[in-house]
Amino acid sequence: MATYVREDWKTRQLRPIDRFNPFIWLGSVSETRYWAWYLLVPSVVVIAMIVLYPTLYGITLSFREMRLTRPDLGTGFVGFEHYREMLNDDIFWLSLKNTLVWVTSAVGLELSLGLASALTLNRSLPGLKWIAVIVLLPWFLPNVVAGNMWALMLDSRLGVINDILVRIGVLDQYKAWFADPSTAMAAAVVIEAWHGFPFFTLLIMAALKGIPDELYQAAAVDGATTIDRFRFITVPMLKMVIVAAVVLRVISLVNSPDLLLILTGGGPGQATMVLSLYAFENAYRMFDFGYAGALSVIMLILLMIFCYCYVRASNVMANA
């Protein structure tokens, strides 16, 4: 009887008045094999609107002239002119090198601090839960707040860190950390590492909770030392989490110049100028959106190449 009713529902003709009833229409469509594709349509539309269209528009913008300060130039197609200009742009090559230093140093330091703090906090000791909350506090602070806070603490006239270093004899006098090209990038990396390492701590702590204790107990019975257990159990079990965290953090650092914008503005000179900050300045200070679009496309390509090579190398190392 049930089969007969279902077949009758599929084959029977709807009355004219029922053709406009949304419930009857949905009921008839849900019986077809295309129902899953219909359910995906809203998600595809949203993704196309907020991801695909802006990305494609930014790419096409890099091939057009778009200077708000020079409306006489129009908005015509210029081909690869912006990319040819980029090859002869000394600031572009300097910002590319600074981006490599900035991202590599910050992510390496954040990963090291995050792994160390996660291993320390992954113990059953009294008071560690409160310490874990304190460790995660820097991640809760917005970049604007963290940047201005550290700018005040490192101020060359009123900074408390300068005062402490002078009192203990590390410095002879107050130092302008962000005005010296030899220390500006290092100071910014330390601040970024302080602000970002809880991201790694949180993810690694969650991954450590998923490692069975039986593995460590079996290794201890076999005579494995603490270093052996860390090397052959902890690190392999954390590999996928570390890979994902590194990829996400690299993407965030490459695309987010806000901390450098607050601390140094790309200076002194161009000592801390990175690609994202250079694209921001071209777009919102020089109003050259065409050249800024070309810089953004280069960042997109570099990030795609990095993600592919890093994930591929991680898989090769895991299977070796």
Side-chain angles (χ1 to χ4, degrees):
M1 177 63 69
T3 303
Y4 173 76
V5 172
R6 185 163 57 250
E7 293 297 330
D8 182 67
W9 171 258
K10 288 183 178 182
T11 58
R12 74 183 180 88
Q13 297 292 328
L14 295 178
R15 294 177 300 173
I17 192 174
D18 292 336
R19 295 179 185 275
F20 302 100
N21 189 325
F23 298 102
I24 295 180
W25 182 82
L26 287 174
S28 61
V29 172
S30 64
E31 294 291 329
T32 66
R33 60 179 180 176
Y34 302 107
W35 178 241
W37 296 101
Y38 293 147
L39 293 177
L40 290 176
V41 169
S43 301
V44 172
V45 172
V46 171
I47 292 174
M49 290 176 59
I50 66 176
V51 176
L52 187 60
Y53 174 75
T55 302
L56 294 178
Y57 181 78
I59 294 174
T60 57
L61 189 63
S62 67
F63 297 102
R64 296 169 52 193
E65 188 67 66
M66 183 70 73
R67 298 189 189 184
L68 301 187
T69 56
R70 294 289 306 276
D72 56 297
L73 297 177
T75 58
F77 181 79
V78 296
F80 292 92
E81 182 62 30
H82 295 309
Y83 296 96
R84 285 193 292 267
E85 180 183 351
M86 201 180 299
L87 294 176
N88 300 320
D89 188 353
D90 294 334
I91 301 179
F92 164 74
W93 292 108
L94 179 60
S95 63
L96 181 61
K97 185 189 74 172
N98 289 340
T99 301
L100 180 62
V101 174
W102 163 252
V103 174
T104 303
S105 303
V107 172
L109 194 55
E110 289 176 12
L111 177 59
S112 302
L113 293 174
L115 180 60
S117 59
L119 292 173
T120 303
L121 295 173
N122 189 41
R123 298 175 182 274
S124 300
L125 296 177
L128 282 184
K129 292 183 179 180
W130 294 103
I131 297 176
V133 174
I134 296 174
V135 169
L136 296 177
L137 281 179
W139 181 249
F140 301 150
L141 292 177
N143 286 341
V144 175
V145 176
N148 284 292
M149 180 182 70
W150 277 94
L152 288 175
M153 290 194 297
L154 291 172
D155 186 81
S156 59
R157 298 163 299 174
L158 306 173
V160 63
I161 294 180
N162 273 318
D163 183 65
I164 293 174
L165 294 177
V166 169
R167 288 177 181 273
I168 64 177
V170 176
L171 294 178
D172 296 330
Q173 58 184 357
Y174 281 22
K175 182 176 181 59
W177 297 92
F178 301 118
D180 187 350
S182 63
T183 59
M185 179 62 79
V189 167
V190 170
I191 295 171
E192 177 56 46
W194 171 85
H195 182 258
F197 87 91
F199 172 76
F200 287 92
T201 302
L202 189 62
L203 294 182
I204 294 175
M205 280 183 63
L208 287 173
K209 299 297 182 182
I211 301 177
D213 292 335
E214 290 79 5
L215 294 178
Y216 293 106
Q217 295 172 1
V221 171
D222 292 338
T225 63
T226 303
I227 297 178
D228 292 333
R229 281 176 282 175
F230 173 77
R231 179 182 176 185
F232 296 107
I233 298 177
T234 305
V235 173
M237 297 294 288
L238 295 178
K239 183 185 74 71
M240 294 307 300
V241 173
I242 292 176
V243 169
V246 169
V247 169
L248 292 175
R249 198 68 189 124
V250 167
I251 293 174
S252 176
L253 286 175
V254 171
N255 291 326
S256 302
D258 43 0
L259 192 62
L260 286 174
L261 183 63
I262 295 168
L263 295 173
T264 65
Q270 309 294 339
T272 59
M273 181 65 68
V274 294
L275 282 176
S276 56
L277 185 55
Y278 190 39
F280 173 83
E281 289 194 343
N282 274 275
Y284 296 104
R285 290 185 179 178
M286 294 181 281
F287 299 103
D288 189 355
F289 286 91
Y291 193 65
L295 291 170
S296 301
V297 170
I298 294 299
M299 287 192 294
L300 174 63
I301 294 173
L302 292 177
L303 282 174
M304 292 175 64
I305 294 174
F306 163 77
C307 292
Y308 174 79
C309 295
Y310 181 74
V311 174
R312 183 72 179 270
S314 300
N315 292 333
V316 171
M317 292 176 61
N319 296 328

